[in-house]
Amino acid sequence: MRLPTWIRQHLAAVRALLVLTVITGVIYPLAVWAVALIPGLHDRAEGSMIKGADGKVVGSRLIGQAFTDKDGNPLKQYVQSRPSNAGTGYDPTSTAASNLGPEDIVDTLPKNPAKKADEITAKTARDSLLTQVCSRSRAVGELEGVSGARPFCTPGGVGAVLSVIGPRDRSGHVTRPTRVVSVNEQCGVVTKPFLATYKGVAVECAKAGADYSAGEIVPIRGTAPATPQVPADAVTASGSGLDPHISPAYARLQAARVAKARGITEAQVLSAIKDNEDGRTLGFIGEPRVNVLQLNVELDKKYPFRG
């Protein structure tokens, strides 16, 4: 007896469901699991975990981490990672970039947080991308004992940016300013602006809450070298916030500090850096890089910190 069409269609659907369940729910997972057991792939399938000097897992070579104390201060015996905007820093559950671009150069200054009326404004205060780069460069320079100077940064570690106020010419530029304000240097925080005068006009510090957008925003390059001593990856976060690598240049910059903290020679640290340096992928993609966690684990194994 021929079954009704609707029953035959349902039976065909059930058969298809059973076949696809076996293929995608049993055969495919077993095949993936079997491939993951192949020598050379098993470690990656397990998360590329790395064991420390004591044999315990300390992290993954694929995800960066910070090497700081509970207060966020760099541990001098370790090579430091690049900055991270993932959560409070290297949070795998909050991977993200800052989404700030090169035109983000003016800070939002806080008002006096001691006054209740200013508490909301204090919480909304924000450093521009330029000031973040400048402050990081200054901090790295101080940590490593080198100059942290960068173009368009003040010696105090904020963006060197002026609001030049006055009538504008046909091209929109202020050629004869009546007032000049260093918009990222707050009165009371700095004793005097990084620049004394601009086009014959005395430069003022900025007052929190004041609006200087009517002026022409002019970044000042300053006298810093075109190639700063502090590399770019030391002052910029990665797109994911979880980059486990730094440039060989940034790793070598830290060698003297790490060697001193561990009581070894700088040459020994440089050798460990070389051991953990990878070249360009396929010989032409990306840049040479050093895995920070792998490097620090090797240092711990070979030259334990005695502090």
Side-chain angles (χ1 to χ4, degrees):
M1 183 179 72
R2 186 177 178 82
L3 295 173
T5 300
W6 69 272
I7 293 179
R8 286 187 284 112
Q9 289 176 338
H10 280 74
L11 289 174
V14 170
R15 287 195 298 270
L17 174 63
L18 292 174
V19 171
L20 289 174
T21 298
V22 171
I23 293 174
T24 61
V26 179
I27 296 176
Y28 177 73
L30 286 175
V32 172
W33 176 74
V35 170
L37 294 178
I38 296 175
L41 295 180
H42 182 65
D43 179 61
R44 295 185 181 183
E46 293 294 316
S48 300
M49 308 307 288
I50 297 178
K51 293 183 178 179
D54 57 1
K56 295 180 181 179
V57 173
V58 293
S60 168
R61 64 172 53 89
L62 303 177
I63 299 177
Q65 58 182 270
F67 295 89
T68 56
D69 62 19
K70 60 182 179 62
D71 297 320
N73 300 311
L75 295 171
K76 294 187 176 182
Q77 69 270 29
Y78 286 118
V79 173
Q80 296 297 305
S81 304
R82 65 187 301 183
S84 170
N85 283 311
T88 56
Y90 287 102
D91 181 357
T93 66
S94 185
T95 174
S98 68
N99 292 325
L100 302 178
E103 294 184 357
D104 186 56
I105 61 176
V106 177
D107 300 349
T108 302
L109 299 177
K111 288 187 179 180
N112 185 354
K115 298 180 180 178
K116 283 191 175 182
D118 296 332
E119 286 179 358
I120 295 178
T121 306
K123 291 179 181 178
T124 59
R126 184 185 69 83
D127 288 343
S128 64
L129 178 61
L130 177 59
T131 286
Q132 290 179 37
V133 168
C134 294
S135 61
R136 289 166 180 166
S137 190
R138 182 172 183 247
V140 171
E142 291 176 350
L143 180 64
E144 309 302 344
V146 299
S147 171
R150 302 187 86 79
F152 304 106
C153 294
T154 71
V158 299
V161 182
L162 303 178
S163 175
V164 183
I165 302 169
R168 298 181 183 243
D169 60 18
R170 291 184 178 180
S171 63
H173 296 298
V174 177
T175 56
R176 296 181 178 179
T178 57
R179 188 182 177 198
V180 180
V181 180
S182 178
V183 292
N184 294 334
E185 293 186 300
Q186 186 176 358
C187 297
V189 176
V190 297
T191 55
K192 60 180 180 179
F194 72 98
L195 201 63
T197 61
Y198 180 79
K199 292 188 176 181
V201 177
V203 177
E204 307 171 23
C205 57
K207 295 180 180 179
D211 184 5
Y212 302 109
S213 60
E216 180 183 0
I217 301 300
V218 180
I220 304 298
R221 188 194 181 286
T223 59
T227 305
Q229 288 185 265
V230 177
D233 61 304
V235 298
T236 55
S238 64
S240 67
L242 303 177
D243 188 356
H245 300 99
I246 58 175
S247 66
Y250 185 28
R252 289 192 291 268
L253 179 67
Q254 304 181 62
R257 166 179 52 80
V258 173
K260 182 179 179 181
R262 291 179 181 268
I264 59 178
T265 66
E266 187 173 340
Q268 288 173 308
V269 178
L270 291 173
S271 176
I273 291 172
K274 193 66 178 177
D275 291 343
N276 294 278
E277 182 177 337
D278 295 321
R280 291 180 171 86
T281 304
L282 300 179
F284 67 95
I285 300 176
E287 296 292 333
R289 56 202 182 277
V290 176
N291 189 290
V292 181
L293 178 57
Q294 287 184 180
L295 170 57
N296 284 330
V297 167
E298 179 174 331
L299 290 170
D300 278 345
K301 289 180 177 179
K302 289 184 176 180
Y303 318 109
F305 178 60
R306 305 297 183 186

